[in-house]
Amino acid sequence: AQKITQTQPGMFVQEKEAVTLDCTYDTSDQSYGLFWYKQPSSGEMIFLIYQGSYDEQNATEGRYSLNFQKARKSANLVISASQLGDSAMYFCAMDRPYTGNQFYFGTGTSLTVIP
Amino acid sequence: NAGVTQTPKFQVLKTGQSMTLQCAQDMNHEYMSWYRQDPGMGLRLIHYSVGAGITDQGEVPNGYNVSRSTTEDFPLRLLSAAPSQTSVYFCASSLPGQGTGELFFGEGSRLTVL
């Protein structure tokens, strides 16, 4: 069975500092995708970054990077130069590419950026 | 661009009542799905569809019904509402084989069952 684990319920980071949000996953599939979504207090789900299981390089999108360690089954999100607007819930998710819209989400990490 | 549109955004029901959450997307996405979000539990898949006329159960399907008569619409029906169905519901769509296949979400519907 697929499972996503986020062990940090809440995190604090100083403005302009970098922060790492942890995510580990469990799957027996060879092909899968790993995603991070941001949910601000307004409630919408915002896609941040994607990593395919066969991608050899870590994904980057602006200030977001995904530290993908396949052997350890981890997909940590790194946010560099934190901004006040980064305060939100962050969800790690995994899909099963050939089984429709089946995504599996972690329980989320609440990030607070301190001025 | 409208993207994924959910209605209503808020709803209060009494136990035993039925209702339908509407979801429509204008991106011609084949895949659509419904998730519920509960505190401390992340998002969990209720039902999903890979195309018109095709639906399947997700992780938590009990008490919900779906149909997919068109590519654009994917309504979620609560047959007899229970307090345990108090949650925030998200509709999502995606297009397989293009880009990352990420989910595009609606804004969410907050449902309270008394």
Side-chain angles (χ1 to χ4, degrees):
Chain A
Q2 282 65 32
K3 186 175 182 181
I4 297 283
T5 301
Q6 294 180 255
T7 57
Q8 305 156 314
M11 291 280 286
F12 293 87
V13 64
Q14 205 75 36
E15 195 177 7
K16 300 180 185 178
E17 296 293 313
V19 63
T20 298
L21 306 184
D22 293 341
C23 173
T24 58
Y25 62 92
D26 191 18
T27 181
S28 57
D29 293 343
Q30 297 300 309
S31 177
Y32 50 88
L34 296 159
F35 302 78
W36 279 90
Y37 282 85
K38 173 184 178 181
Q39 186 178 43
S41 58
S42 52
E44 72 268 29
M45 297 290 288
I46 302 168
F47 166 69
L48 295 178
I49 196 167
Y50 163 84
Q51 179 85 41
S53 58
Y54 293 116
D55 294 341
E56 294 186 351
Q57 290 200 329
N58 288 340
T60 59
E61 288 287 348
R63 294 186 299 110
Y64 304 108
S65 61
L66 199 154
N67 185 358
F68 180 46
Q69 297 187 43
K70 192 170 183 178
R72 297 180 61 186
K73 294 189 174 179
S74 74
N76 298 339
L77 177 70
V78 180
I79 305 174
S80 63
S82 296
Q83 302 172 357
L84 296 178
D86 293 335
S87 293
M89 282 290 289
Y90 289 82
F91 291 96
C92 180
M94 176 174 62
D95 77 341
R96 302 183 73 192
Y98 304 106
T99 61
N101 245 23
Q102 294 189 67
F103 272 63
Y104 299 85
F105 287 82
T107 52
T109 295
S110 176
L111 178 67
T112 302
V113 180
I114 304 167
Chain B
N1 288 341
V4 180
T5 303
Q6 288 180 234
T7 56
K9 288 187 169 46
F10 300 94
Q11 184 72 49
V12 179
L13 290 177
K14 293 181 179 178
T15 297
Q17 288 184 318
S18 62
M19 76 157 298
T20 299
L21 295 174
Q22 302 290 347
C23 177
Q25 53 92 8
D26 62 358
M27 298 175 283
N28 203 31
H29 284 178
E30 291 179 56
Y31 289 359
M32 297 187 73
S33 53
W34 278 100
Y35 292 81
R36 61 177 288 174
Q37 182 179 18
D38 301 295
M41 301 192 73
L43 280 74
R44 293 180 293 167
L45 180 63
I46 304 172
H47 285 285
Y48 65 99
S49 169
V50 298
I54 306 169
T55 64
D56 207 343
Q57 296 180 351
E59 185 183 358
V60 287
N62 292 342
Y64 307 96
N65 201 359
V66 292
S67 60
R68 184 100 179 267
S69 57
T70 67
T71 299
E72 294 78 20
D73 299 301
F74 191 45
L76 178 72
R77 298 181 185 85
L78 279 70
L79 308 173
S80 177
S84 60
Q85 293 179 303
T86 293
S87 188
V88 178
Y89 291 85
F90 285 96
C91 180
S93 72
S94 67
L95 189 60
Q98 292 215 2
T100 68
E102 81 265 23
L103 293 175
F104 291 79
F105 284 93
E107 294 182 339
S109 298
R110 184 174 294 275
L111 174 67
T112 302
V113 182
L114 303 175

